[in-house]
Amino acid sequence: MAILNFTPSSMFPVTIGSARRTSLRGSVIKMQKSLINTDPPASPGFSLCTCGRKHFLGEATTPFLPISPSYAAPSTTPNSTEVLNQLRPPKPDWYFELYGYFRSAGMERYEKEIAVYKRKLFANLVGKAETVLEIGIGAGPNIKYYNNIPNVSVLGVDPNPKMESHARKSAIEAGVKSENFKFIHAVAESMPLEDASVDAVVGSLVMCSVTDIPQTLKEIKRILKPGGLYLFVEHVAAEDGTFLRMVQNVLDPLQQVVADGCHLTRNTEDYLLEAGFNGGVDINKVSLSAFYHLSPHLYGVAYN
């Protein structure tokens, strides 16, 4: 949703760090960090949140595809529809259509810059996952990264039912067979899937806008098989006291209104470390030059 333009007089250096943490808040956390230099960032631009299913304004896109029947597995959470309606009250069809229309085309700049990190991240799925669930799948920009997985089956969860046509289009373009892609109309806090039913969960710019992060992570752990992987890419709050954090604090209320609940100041890393994944969490941090107010980003893997 690009309605503002912002170009700071200077940029913070772009660095990548990594840490592996397995203990909860209050425990002794052992960390190993590494920093590497990257090329100097391009002149930063400013656009409102590109988060998962939250991007509302963008460029023109291709026509809608016919919507195939949706899928829902036998539910262990019979109130998932009620939770959906409570957390995401129904909106007029024209809103969902317009939102889906622009969401399918407005991520090009972001996806181009984040691609190098996504390719590295999604390589973890090869040989380890056949059934992949993506929460907040939106228009399906990540599906192309699954085509290296033999016989992959993709389940996509999103509260916007009009995203299905766009996600299906992405699946077709990625070479995923029609019968191997299923769309689930639900929120990440309550997903109609059986316990231990998927090999991997993927979340890309989702935790910024879910209503309940701990509950979402609890659901992810529930539906993952033992030893399953949770891959994440999230924008998070900048460090306290920095100019960037000041910018985020000022823009956060507007961001939530314009970007359908997206928060700029969430400390998602803390939630990931506190979730209690049995195999721990690998976290990498990176800054994006073209999306100044959405830096830094976290990407990594949690091991169930």
Side-chain angles (χ1 to χ4, degrees):
M1 270 173 269
I3 63 171
L4 299 176
N5 288 308
F6 176 80
T7 303
S9 58
S10 63
M11 281 290 297
F12 295 103
V14 177
T15 60
I16 300 176
S18 65
R20 181 177 182 86
R21 309 181 186 180
T22 60
S23 60
L24 304 180
R25 187 197 296 264
S27 301
V28 177
I29 299 175
K30 295 182 179 180
M31 301 175 59
Q32 291 182 340
K33 295 183 177 180
S34 63
L35 297 177
I36 64 174
N37 294 325
T38 62
D39 293 333
S43 298
F46 185 90
S47 61
L48 283 178
C49 182
T50 55
C51 330
R53 59 181 184 271
K54 305 305 170 194
H55 191 83
F56 189 80
L57 297 179
E59 304 170 0
T61 187
T62 53
F64 295 147
L65 293 180
I67 297 178
S68 302
S70 296
Y71 166 85
S75 177
T76 57
T77 51
N79 293 323
S80 60
T81 300
E82 286 81 356
V83 175
L84 166 67
N85 291 332
Q86 178 184 3
L87 299 183
R88 296 287 172 177
K91 294 181 174 64
D93 280 350
W94 67 262
Y95 174 87
F96 285 129
E97 291 278 7
L98 185 63
Y99 181 84
Y101 177 84
F102 288 114
R103 172 62 182 83
S104 66
M107 299 285 286
E108 184 176 353
R109 287 177 60 229
Y110 173 82
E111 291 297 336
K112 183 177 181 180
E113 185 168 2
I114 200 70
V116 61
Y117 307 109
K118 284 190 174 182
R119 282 194 293 268
K120 177 181 177 181
L121 179 63
F122 293 134
N124 288 282
L125 297 176
V126 179
K128 299 178 183 178
E130 288 189 355
T131 303
V132 177
L133 169 69
E134 183 167 348
I135 56 177
I137 193 169
N142 296 323
I143 298 178
K144 61 179 176 288
Y145 298 106
Y146 309 148
N147 60 9
N148 292 326
I149 306 173
N151 303 313
V152 65
S153 294
V154 181
L155 306 176
V157 169
D158 203 282
N160 183 346
K162 301 301 181 180
M163 289 298 185
E164 182 171 4
S165 61
H166 303 292
R168 285 191 176 278
K169 179 177 182 293
S170 295
I172 292 172
E173 292 175 347
V176 177
K177 296 179 180 179
S178 177
E179 61 270 23
N180 288 343
F181 176 80
K182 308 296 180 182
F183 183 89
I184 303 171
H185 182 212
V187 288
E189 291 90 340
S190 180
M191 294 179 280
L193 292 164
E194 298 286 353
D195 296 354
S197 58
V198 302
D199 301 312
V201 174
V202 172
S204 177
L205 302 179
V206 174
M207 294 301 172
C208 60
S209 55
V210 297
T211 303
D212 190 332
I213 295 179
Q215 175 59 28
T216 298
L217 292 171
K218 182 179 179 180
E219 277 288 274
I220 290 171
K221 292 172 60 182
R222 178 184 69 81
I223 63 179
L224 272 175
K225 295 177 181 178
L229 307 178
Y230 166 44
L231 277 58
F232 53 87
V233 180
E234 301 289 348
H235 71 80
V236 296
E239 292 186 10
D240 289 334
T242 63
F243 176 73
L244 176 55
R245 182 58 181 268
M246 182 186 70
V247 171
Q248 291 175 337
N249 289 339
V250 171
L251 293 179
D252 191 54
L254 176 63
Q255 181 82 0
Q256 293 179 46
V257 172
V258 179
D260 197 13
C262 170
H263 295 70
L264 294 175
T265 57
R266 282 188 169 173
N267 295 312
T268 303
E269 180 178 6
D270 293 342
Y271 291 102
L272 288 167
L273 297 174
E274 293 170 353
F277 285 95
N278 292 329
V281 183
D282 288 336
I283 297 177
N284 303 275
K285 185 172 289 188
V286 62
S287 294
L288 301 183
S289 62
F291 296 88
Y292 178 71
H293 73 306
L294 297 182
S295 288
H297 264 51
L298 302 179
Y299 71 95
V301 184
Y303 304 87
N304 199 36

